[in-house]
Amino acid sequence: MERKVLPIRDQAQLFDEALRDRLDNLLPQLMERQNISMWIVMNREYNEDPVYLSMVPMMARYARRLSCLIFHRDANGRVERYCLGNDRDFKGMYTVIPWAPPVDRMELLRETIEKLNPENIALDFCADNQFADGLSKGIYDMFAAAMTPEIMAKVISAEHIVTDWLQTRTRQELVRYRAVNRLAQEILEEAFSSRVITPGVTTTADVEWFLMEAVSIQGLECWFTPTVDLQRKFNPSGRIRDEIILPGDILHCDFGLKYLGLCTDTQRIYYVPYPGETEPPEYLQRAYEKTLRFMDIVAENCIAGRKGDEILVNSVQQARDEGLRPHLYTHPIGVHGHAAGPTIGLYYKDGPVGGMGEYPLYPNTCYALELNTKVSIPEWKDEEVWIMREETVCFKHDGELEYLMEDHDVFKLVK
């Protein structure tokens, strides 16, 4: 596969333009929504906070020594942005508060806080949300030792502002996200074609290695190891991996890459035709349509303000009422693959999940719509087939999900 990604300079320009827009226009809205007066993100090189690299220009790449970002919302709702004693090129996105030894950085931070006098101070610690738990114990101890009791009394968890910042996508980012998914789709279409798969010769493992190599050629990485399995008529063992692919097989993949600061996560199925077949058998098409219907049901139940567990319970019950055998395990996606935001079911658990399942749904957030339905196939002596699907989607309006990759409703052939 030829190289299709943008030059690094162009990637950085797109990332940084979107970041400036997020800092200027999105962050003030989110801090107001969560009633945050000051938010401080502190971390060190090789131990970066999960949120840090989403808040600095692309070529910053990592924290430097002790890196400290300060966001202060004033009485007029304007958010001032500072970096404490950091001489890195943040392209004017932050005002540098100069620091030099022998002044202690935490003392300088205390003086800054006292000068700005925030009502509360959000720090990145949280027992239940890993994305908001990036403040190390060592840095917290240094902070606590340098602060006054009055300052420490203002400290709160940054859980909700971290989650909002990571999960919310701007218009610029959604345009970029479509391009990221387009690249993922092009790789999938080549992987599940006759250019890669020769029935009777190619194994599912061969396709897995092709996916990884195709991403590597682009100068990128898969954020998890791709998997390819198959289901076969009159084979009671169910989904099989590391098997030679044969005509009549149903192939299933799970594949995700990261590009331009955003992750994809896609599960699709493909039919391996016998000579002369031009589409999957009608009975498999009908099974496929059951999962498409379940995807629509989940979209219908996505209402702003509903919690993940509520969407889960309502969607599964509606699907069962319609005669489906559903399983729903959808997760947020964006800066991270398994990202911050409301979880809508878990693969290994039936029913409400609590914790991240209690987060509400907000517009302009993205999800890996991950689910399956089980279908008994009379033509296969009533063996069960799993129709497993996962698509990157954006929630913008009640009752709708916008698919970021094309052809999500097409059961394709390997050809």
Side-chain angles (χ1 to χ4, degrees):
M1 171 175 281
E2 64 182 84
R3 187 171 171 86
K4 297 184 178 182
V5 304
L6 292 170
I8 293 176
R9 176 179 287 185
D10 294 343
Q11 293 183 44
Q13 181 178 348
L14 284 176
F15 183 93
D16 293 353
E17 286 175 354
L19 173 60
R20 188 179 296 275
D21 175 55
R22 285 173 62 83
L23 291 170
D24 287 347
N25 302 306
L26 176 63
L27 184 59
Q29 299 174 34
L30 301 181
M31 291 184 71
E32 181 178 10
R33 176 198 286 175
Q34 299 298 347
N35 192 30
I36 301 297
S37 178
M38 177 177 283
W39 179 20
I40 303 176
V41 178
M42 296 179 283
N43 54 192
R44 288 185 283 200
E45 189 174 354
Y46 302 121
N47 192 26
E48 285 78 13
D49 186 309
V51 79
Y52 178 77
L53 293 179
S54 72
M55 310 195 85
V56 296
M58 177 176 163
M59 299 312 293
R61 296 185 183 272
Y62 50 84
R64 183 173 179 178
R65 302 183 181 90
L66 175 61
S67 294
C68 178
L69 305 179
I70 305 167
F71 306 93
H72 175 246
R73 183 166 63 94
D74 64 21
N76 297 317
R78 188 172 66 91
V79 174
E80 304 161 311
R81 307 190 298 266
Y82 304 95
C83 57
L84 186 65
N86 198 325
D87 59 357
R88 302 188 67 176
D89 180 14
F90 284 167
K91 302 183 182 298
M93 297 183 197
Y94 293 88
T95 299
V96 176
I97 300 175
W99 167 83
V103 176
D104 182 83
R105 282 199 185 190
M106 287 299 171
E107 292 180 6
L108 182 58
L109 178 56
R110 184 190 66 233
E111 293 171 2
T112 301
I113 294 172
E114 290 174 336
K115 178 181 177 181
L116 296 174
N117 192 27
E119 294 181 4
N120 55 43
I121 303 167
L123 299 181
D124 293 356
F125 61 84
C126 179
D128 301 319
N129 183 333
Q130 68 270 35
F131 302 101
D133 198 34
L135 179 62
S136 72
K137 178 65 162 52
I139 296 178
Y140 178 83
D141 286 347
M142 288 191 292
F143 175 87
M147 298 301 132
T148 64
E150 291 76 17
I151 288 175
M152 292 304 296
K154 296 181 178 183
V155 170
I156 61 173
S157 170
E159 175 183 7
H160 296 295
I161 186 62
V162 169
T163 300
D164 275 3
W165 170 261
L166 288 175
Q167 74 173 340
T168 308
R169 305 272 72 83
T170 62
R171 183 178 300 178
Q172 280 182 275
E173 288 179 296
L174 287 172
V175 171
R176 195 168 86 219
Y177 217 166
R178 286 191 173 278
V180 175
N181 276 275
R182 191 179 308 119
L183 174 62
Q185 181 170 2
E186 290 174 0
I187 292 173
L188 283 171
E189 287 182 349
E190 183 167 1
F192 290 90
S193 74
S194 59
R195 296 189 296 277
V196 173
I197 296 175
T198 301
V201 176
T202 309
T203 68
T204 56
D206 293 334
V207 184
E208 293 171 347
W209 285 111
F210 174 85
L211 288 168
M212 287 183 277
E213 289 288 351
V215 173
S216 179
I217 288 170
Q218 303 302 319
L220 306 174
E221 292 184 353
C222 298
W223 66 268
F224 64 92
T225 302
T227 61
V228 177
D229 58 68
L230 62 82
Q231 296 175 87
R232 180 173 292 160
K233 185 176 183 179
F234 305 151
N235 192 320
S237 56
R239 296 165 56 199
I240 313 167
R241 289 185 65 188
D242 201 14
E243 176 78 5
I244 294 176
I245 297 168
L246 300 175
D249 287 345
I250 302 170
L251 300 182
H252 161 259
C253 71
D254 193 356
F255 170 66
L257 55 80
K258 186 167 187 176
Y259 176 39
L260 297 173
L262 296 168
C263 295
T264 70
D265 200 353
T266 309
Q267 292 184 49
R268 291 193 170 184
I269 64 170
Y270 302 83
Y271 178 71
V272 184
Y274 288 96
E277 283 188 309
T278 58
E279 60 183 21
E282 184 177 348
Y283 62 86
L284 292 183
Q285 291 273 19
R286 289 195 299 269
Y288 187 81
E289 288 167 3
K290 292 180 184 295
T291 295
L292 292 181
R293 175 56 192 150
F294 187 31
M295 295 166 79
D296 288 342
I297 288 172
V298 177
E300 292 167 10
N301 282 280
C302 286
I303 306 296
R306 280 188 179 175
K307 296 178 180 179
D309 279 347
E310 186 178 1
I311 296 169
L312 167 70
V313 171
N314 291 351
S315 298
V316 169
Q317 186 60 56
Q318 182 178 340
R320 287 173 176 165
D321 290 345
E322 294 187 18
L324 303 180
R325 298 168 61 195
H327 190 188
L328 179 59
Y329 37 100
T330 287
H331 60 83
I333 191 169
V335 176
H336 304 95
H338 293 143
T343 296
I344 307 173
L346 293 171
Y347 182 76
Y348 53 84
K349 180 178 180 179
D350 290 325
V353 302
M356 301 294 281
E358 292 297 307
Y359 278 74
L361 185 69
Y362 286 115
N364 300 315
T365 54
C366 292
Y367 301 87
L369 178 60
E370 187 175 9
L371 45 73
N372 72 69
T373 58
K374 284 185 181 179
V375 183
S376 295
I377 306 295
E379 292 80 358
W380 288 20
K381 296 182 179 179
D382 289 328
E383 288 180 8
E384 290 183 335
V385 170
W386 296 45
I387 307 297
M388 307 184 74
R389 296 299 318 283
E390 185 172 18
E391 293 287 333
T392 305
V393 298
C394 180
F395 171 70
K396 292 183 177 179
H397 307 290
D398 288 354
E400 300 177 18
L401 290 173
E402 180 178 310
Y403 289 82
L404 301 185
M405 188 183 288
E406 296 177 354
D407 297 339
H408 79 276
D409 55 351
V410 180
F411 190 178
K412 294 186 176 183
L413 296 181
V414 173
K415 63 179 181 179

